[in-house]
Amino acid sequence: MKLWPKDLFAPAVAVIVLALGVLVGAIFFVASSANSAARAREEAVVANGVNVRIALIAQTVWLHVAEENVGPRLGPRPDLPWVHAHLGAPLNLAHGFEAAFALGADNAPFYAMDHGRLAGSEAFLPFSPAAAPLIASVRQSEADGRRDPQEHTAFAAPIQASAAASVGGHVYVLTATLANGSEHAGRASIIVTAEEIDDAFLYGLDDGLLLDNLQLREGNAGELPGDARVHLTDAAGAPVATLTWVPQTPGEALLQNTLPPVLVLIAALAILGWAIYRRGRQTARALVAEKAHATHLAYHDALTGLPNRLLLADRLGRAVEDLRRRTTPFAVHCIDLDRFKDVNDTFGHQAGDEVIQLAALRITSACRQSDTIARLGGDEFAVVQIDADLDGAARLAERLVALLSEPMELSVGRVHIGASVGVSLLSEGAIDAQECLRQADLALYRVKEKGRGNFCFFEPEMDATIRFRKALEADLRVAIEKNQFYMAYQPQVDGRGKMIGVEALLRWRHPTRSALSPAVFIPVAEEAGLIDALGFFTLRRTFEDSRRWPGLRVAVNISATQLRAKDFAARLAALVEEADIDPACFELEITEGVLLGDDPRTHETLRRIREIGFRLALDDFGTGYSSLSYLHRYPIDKIKIDRSFVINLGLDKEADAIVAAIVKLARALNLTCIAEGVETEEQRLRLSLAGCSDMQGFLLGKPAGVEEIDDRLASAEISAKRTGAS
Ligand code: C2E
Ligand code: CA
Ligand code: CA
């Protein structure tokens, strides 16, 4: 199962991480904004409180100056004790003012109160610089009021100016107040007061905010990070002192409340993401492994684990490429096990599988690491031998044949398998992978044709032969379907020239090709699995034709492949029933190859054939393996001396001797004997002299149609009657 495409995983994770980052960032931003807002509000409240406090101080001074009607007492001859008793002392005692001064029209001090006591004018000196701008401001307002007298009455707003000031290490609120009614020479006196900003000043400044660690620092204490601050400024607006405190941080509460659940959420998401990632990775790994397995299966044979045809094609392609670019020669070996089908049929597929596996091991043991060994299917293997010359290729092929010919120990017992190897050596030229394999296959075909258990190199002439055979095979299939076959019969005569029998020979009425000998197309039919159909056609047709010649012995050729079929004898018996013929009138011709190997099944089949009533003739005698022991062991009735001996009679002394020996042997074994391929009178004479009187050949009659045999039989009967009559 795939959760999501692999290439979407990273972007998905990135988006989740980004989203979580934005969320956390937003929380911190909101928290920090809440903190800033709270601090700004506190600062506004405190600044307002400071202003209110300064205004209250100014109002307190004004109340004393206005209510006590201080102005006249400050006139040209000021009443200093009264001023002290009604203004200076109460300001100190009742309101905590540290200092108060009265300045004349010339702005010079004429009264001073210092910490409640009457003091000399010099007490004003330290306050003078800070008070100067306030005094100037008050004087300006006074002058403005005189220019517009309607506005300036005793009940008009007080003319005052206040500011913070730092004097002698203390911070004060200085207030300058114009004392109405004290005018002389057009200018009134000015009362200057100083109230230190102390704990009492600060008390309640926060308007119930309960500020934490509220402190007054001299100067511009702006460097304390995290603290809230409000500056107290002088008349020019420059900071004189700073109130600082630790502001409230509602954002932190927000963080405390929201962060844990968010962090839990993030952790959960992280765990989920990790789980998904792991799952995805496992899935991906499983997919990769699955794919690798599938790829292995697709390119390897399940039984042996060897590369299959597909992988071989790939390796061959590379070998071809190397040949083209670096002229590295290579050889392709096509290996076919010789008696595999027999083992498979006799002992079953389990044994067959064991043979294939053992063969794979042996082939592998003969090859180098760089060679590719493949199973092409069934009992066929191929080897691509890299960097091989003619000698090297021959050595490997020879070794393969030898190794595979050694007996194999299977669970069912010991079996003998052989192998045929076709080799194609590629050392130059442009060629494709398919062609390499085809050439090796053609060479293999040739080995099998020549009798297996060997190897052979590809030669260009093989091509034409094989092409011809392939075409023939295709034609044969059509011919069987369209019934293009018929039988010819060749007479067999005795020593007196009497036709004693005929041999049925298959003929192909091919629509375009000229006449083809069964010697050519029968082996192709055997190879193509068509011999069964052809063989039974021959038998059926011959049985039918033979009804025309009652009492005449008819010989039928049976190929080795036909005979090897399991149910041959049974089907033959069924055919005898069906055609209603007398098997005693028939002779089945088999070749020595059939007897080769001393197979128990062949024994059994031949025994059954004899049981049904057929006679058996050994065809082409003397050409094959000619093991005389066969003649003892098999139920043979007749031997046919091969044409190759007959043809040499009179030409080669040995031929005469061999023929004589065969005739003697036949007699000794109580077998009848016939010579085939008799073409000349001399051959006939010599055969007669050797003791072989029955003959077959062009001299005595060519293979002919049924009518010709009819005619011949009829004329023989007439002459016999004549002879009998005369
Ligand atoms: P064979 O059984 O040895 O048949 C004899 C072959 O020799 C026949 O060739 C025949 O035409 C030829 N022949 C006969 N007398 C002479 C002669 O004096 N000189 C020469 N040069 N040749 C002669 P054919 O008909 O071409 O058959 C060839 C082979 O095909 C046969 O050899 C036989 O092995 C096989 N064959 C023929 N008919 C059948 C059949 O119906 N079934 C099977 N399984 N094989 C068949
Ligand atoms: Ca024959
Ligand atoms: Ca023959």
Side-chain angles (χ1 to χ4, degrees):
M1 183 201 63
K2 210 167 183 175
L3 279 174
W4 48 37
K6 199 174 150 196
D7 48 355
L8 274 186
F9 185 76
V13 167
V15 165
I16 290 174
V17 166
L18 195 70
L20 291 176
V22 166
L23 179 62
V24 171
I27 290 170
F28 274 95
F29 176 74
V30 168
S32 143
S33 305
N35 286 344
S36 311
R39 176 174 151 173
R41 197 166 61 83
E42 286 180 8
E43 284 177 346
V45 167
V46 170
N48 186 53
V50 167
N51 289 337
V52 167
R53 208 42 71 83
I54 291 172
L56 275 176
I57 290 169
Q59 200 180 16
T60 304
V61 176
W62 172 248
L63 281 175
H64 278 83
V65 170
E67 271 179 22
E68 300 292 332
N69 204 9
V70 171
R73 308 279 179 166
L74 297 175
R77 276 176 307 279
D79 180 355
L80 292 184
W82 188 92
V83 168
H84 184 65
H86 290 87
L87 181 68
L91 279 177
N92 175 257
L93 281 173
H95 304 291
F97 283 74
E98 273 70 23
F101 308 96
L103 312 186
D106 55 354
N107 291 348
F110 58 89
Y111 164 77
M113 180 277 285
D114 182 14
H115 287 90
R117 279 192 302 271
L118 194 63
S121 315
E122 71 282 355
F124 180 65
L125 276 177
F127 294 97
S128 177
L134 300 176
I135 294 163
S137 162
V138 167
R139 289 284 178 225
Q140 183 63 51
S141 298
E142 183 187 29
D144 291 348
R146 243 196 328 277
R147 246 185 280 119
D148 192 4
Q150 283 91 337
E151 298 236 331
H152 190 69
T153 65
F155 307 104
I159 294 176
Q160 283 184 304
S162 299
S166 177
V167 178
H170 299 271
V171 179
Y172 298 89
V173 174
L174 294 189
T175 306
T177 307
L178 193 72
N180 289 331
S182 63
E183 290 85 351
H184 60 106
R187 284 181 16 149
S189 294
I190 289 176
I191 305 299
V192 173
T193 57
E195 175 160 12
E196 189 176 357
I197 297 176
D198 50 13
D199 286 350
F201 178 91
L202 297 180
Y203 180 76
L205 199 62
D206 55 0
D207 196 19
L209 283 175
L210 302 175
L211 299 180
D212 185 16
N213 196 24
L214 181 63
Q215 287 181 14
L216 182 74
R217 296 163 198 276
E218 228 178 309
N220 181 8
E223 306 312 316
L224 285 166
D227 276 4
R229 62 190 65 88
V230 165
H231 295 301
L232 286 91
T233 52
D234 63 12
V240 172
T242 308
L243 282 168
T244 65
W245 69 96
V246 178
Q248 285 181 10
T249 49
E252 254 142 50
L254 179 76
L255 282 183
Q256 271 168 19
N257 288 333
T258 54
L259 257 194
V262 165
L263 286 176
V264 166
L265 181 71
I266 288 173
L269 281 176
I271 289 169
L272 182 71
W274 186 71
I276 288 172
Y277 171 70
R278 260 190 56 139
R279 179 71 188 274
R281 218 174 43 167
Q282 275 171 1
T283 313
R285 274 198 198 135
L287 279 175
V288 167
E290 212 170 273
K291 196 168 166 231
H293 185 60
T295 309
H296 184 85
L297 284 187
Y299 288 103
H300 290 84
D301 166 55
L303 182 61
T304 59
L306 290 178
N308 63 10
R309 215 174 249 283
L310 266 178
L311 190 51
L312 177 79
D314 181 68
R315 299 280 170 82
L316 263 177
R318 280 188 222 176
V320 164
E321 188 66 9
D322 276 355
L323 175 66
R324 205 169 53 74
R325 283 186 302 142
R326 284 180 287 180
T327 50
T328 309
F330 68 98
V332 181
H333 301 251
C334 269
I335 306 158
D336 190 278
L337 303 184
D338 285 343
R339 275 172 291 277
F340 175 72
K341 198 176 171 313
D342 294 349
V343 171
N344 219 28
D345 289 351
T346 313
F347 300 110
H349 289 298
Q350 171 76 36
D353 285 357
E354 285 177 43
V355 169
I356 295 296
Q357 285 169 326
L358 271 173
L361 284 178
R362 291 189 186 176
I363 294 168
T364 308
S365 75
C367 296
R368 286 176 304 182
Q369 199 74 37
S370 55
D371 300 340
T372 297
I373 303 135
R375 182 179 175 209
L376 301 180
D379 58 347
E380 275 181 67
F381 295 86
V383 174
V384 180
Q385 185 187 9
I386 299 300
D387 212 358
D389 56 7
L390 191 66
D391 265 5
R395 267 201 306 276
L396 177 59
E398 202 168 20
R399 193 162 155 64
L400 287 171
V401 170
L403 274 176
L404 292 168
S405 305
E406 279 170 24
M408 288 183 173
E409 302 293 342
L410 308 184
S411 50
V412 293
R414 169 183 291 206
V415 296
H416 288 262
I417 298 276
S420 306
V421 179
V423 190
S424 163
L425 183 68
L426 293 312
S427 54
E428 58 185 358
I431 191 169
D432 70 14
Q434 218 45 47
E435 178 63 13
C436 303
L437 206 56
R438 201 185 63 87
Q439 291 187 356
D441 207 41
L442 288 184
L444 174 62
Y445 206 99
R446 175 59 56 89
V447 179
K448 289 203 269 185
E449 227 175 31
K450 280 187 180 164
R452 302 167 184 268
N454 210 335
F455 74 93
C456 153
F457 278 95
F458 167 79
E459 282 153 29
E461 55 79 23
M462 289 177 186
D463 240 1
T465 314
I466 301 299
R467 259 193 218 123
F468 172 74
R469 290 191 73 136
K470 290 269 151 76
L472 199 60
E473 193 183 310
D475 279 4
L476 264 177
R477 289 180 198 278
V478 176
I480 289 171
E481 213 168 275
K482 296 197 171 168
N483 207 2
Q484 294 173 348
F485 298 99
Y486 65 99
M487 304 306 297
Y489 298 91
Q490 185 174 31
Q492 295 177 337
V493 300
D494 65 10
R496 291 180 294 148
K498 185 183 175 237
M499 186 165 76
I500 48 167
V502 287
E503 180 182 359
L505 295 163
L506 186 62
R507 291 294 175 261
W508 182 2
R509 198 187 293 114
H510 193 281
T512 55
R513 276 189 218 278
S514 52
L516 267 180
S517 164
V520 175
F521 67 78
I522 291 281
V524 176
E526 285 184 318
E527 196 72 38
L530 300 170
I531 193 62
D532 198 65
L534 269 185
F536 277 94
F537 166 81
T538 299
L539 283 165
R540 193 172 284 127
R541 172 52 52 89
T542 305
F543 287 170
E544 211 168 284
D545 289 345
S546 71
R547 294 170 170 284
R548 308 165 79 117
W549 316 305
L552 190 69
R553 191 164 57 234
V554 181
V556 185
N557 293 283
I558 306 291
S559 87
T561 315
Q562 252 177 303
L563 210 66
R564 242 182 265 131
K566 251 184 197 159
D567 56 353
F568 180 78
R571 289 174 68 190
L572 187 63
L575 207 59
V576 167
E577 284 283 301
E578 189 192 303
D580 193 23
I581 50 100
D582 178 9
C585 293
F586 290 86
E587 216 165 60
L588 300 191
E589 293 189 5
I590 57 171
T591 55
E592 283 167 298
V594 169
L595 311 180
L596 205 72
D598 222 354
D599 182 34
R601 199 196 294 160
T602 310
H603 260 287
E604 175 61 15
T605 304
L606 292 180
R607 199 187 57 74
R608 290 279 314 276
I609 290 172
R610 280 292 299 278
E611 218 171 61
I612 297 166
F614 288 100
R615 286 159 55 86
L616 285 175
L618 202 52
D619 207 352
D620 305 339
F621 188 78
T623 55
Y625 303 85
S626 295
S627 169
L628 294 181
S629 66
Y630 291 141
L631 296 175
H632 274 300
R633 269 180 284 143
Y634 288 93
I636 305 295
D637 301 287
K638 182 178 188 173
I639 50 180
K640 293 187 83 174
I641 300 169
D642 192 66
R643 195 164 68 89
S644 56
F645 300 112
V646 174
I647 219 164
N648 285 323
L649 286 175
L651 305 172
D652 179 352
K653 273 214 172 103
E654 238 173 69
D656 286 88
I658 291 170
V659 168
I662 294 174
V663 173
K664 266 190 202 128
L665 176 79
R667 261 196 210 130
L669 292 170
N670 205 17
L671 304 173
T672 47
C673 179
I674 185 171
E676 57 179 341
V678 182
E679 292 180 350
T680 64
E681 276 300 339
E682 190 189 351
Q683 288 164 357
R684 174 150 89 159
L685 199 65
R686 285 181 181 271
L687 283 166
S688 297
L689 283 174
C692 179
S693 49
D694 291 356
M695 295 173 209
Q696 179 185 347
F698 292 168
L699 180 70
L700 309 151
K702 293 200 167 182
V706 279
E707 283 87 3
E708 259 182 74
I709 302 297
D710 288 350
D711 290 351
R712 202 166 155 154
L713 275 177
S715 55
E717 211 165 305
I718 292 165
S719 64
K721 272 185 191 145
R722 274 203 203 120
T723 319
S726 59

